[in-house]
């Protein structure tokens, strides 16, 4: 997998904050993509303008993180798409809380 565009490859983008847990999330995406032999590119997007342009929101706090579940549980609009957001070819797959490995494997398998 490379960050460069590859013809026919699924473009996976993780819209994320600077939280180090997002690095682990992206590693999981890349590992599972390799395991299922998915032809894809991966990219981590942290640019606030790019995130806002997609309609995603960040409620991440740079100094303290209780975790995605706890951070999003108290939000008034549980249907909003808060970071981290994983997209495939521009379609949001997961948002608010990172998926389990099985959920991720199932979603990515649809692009084989």
């Amino acid at each position: 997998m490379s960050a460069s565009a590859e013809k026919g490859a699924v473009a996976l983008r993780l819209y994320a904050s600077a939280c180090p847990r997002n690095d682990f999330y992206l590693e999981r995406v890349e590992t599972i993509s390799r395991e299922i032999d998915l032809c894809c590119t991966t990219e981590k997007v942290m640019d606030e303008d790019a995130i806002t342009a997609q309609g995603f929101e960040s409620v991440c706090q740079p100094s303290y993180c209780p975790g995605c579940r706890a951070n999003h549980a108290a939000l008034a609009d549980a249907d909003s798409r808060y970071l981290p957001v994983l997209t495939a070819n521009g379609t949001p797959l997961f948002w608010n809380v990172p998926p389990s490995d099985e959920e991720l494997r199932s979603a990515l398998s649809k692009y084989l």
Side-chain angles (χ1 to χ4, degrees):
M1 259 169 288
S2 71
S4 64
E6 187 178 321
K7 188 173 182 172
V10 178
L12 300 174
R13 287 194 180 100
L14 179 62
Y15 293 85
S17 67
C19 176
R21 289 180 161 267
N22 290 312
D23 293 334
F24 176 65
Y25 186 177
L26 189 59
E27 287 173 18
R28 289 178 46 238
V29 169
E30 292 171 341
T31 297
I32 289 173
S33 295
R34 280 191 303 272
E35 286 174 3
I36 65 172
D37 203 25
L38 178 66
C39 180
C40 66
T41 61
T42 59
E43 179 183 7
K44 182 177 170 186
V45 179
M46 297 188 330
D47 179 73
E48 290 179 21
D49 291 336
I51 290 167
T52 301
Q54 294 297 317
F56 307 145
E57 297 180 58
S58 177
V59 292
C60 299
Q61 303 166 24
S63 60
Y64 169 71
C65 180
C68 291
R69 264 182 233 292
N71 204 22
H72 297 145
L75 298 173
D77 185 3
D79 294 325
S80 288
R81 292 183 175 164
Y82 297 105
L83 301 183
V85 179
L86 178 65
T87 66
N89 293 338
T91 301
L93 300 178
F94 300 100
W95 52 90
N96 299 354
V97 177
S100 69
D101 286 350
E102 285 307 310
E103 291 169 323
L104 189 53
R105 189 173 284 107
S106 176
L108 295 180
S109 292
K110 293 175 183 172
Y111 291 89
L112 291 174

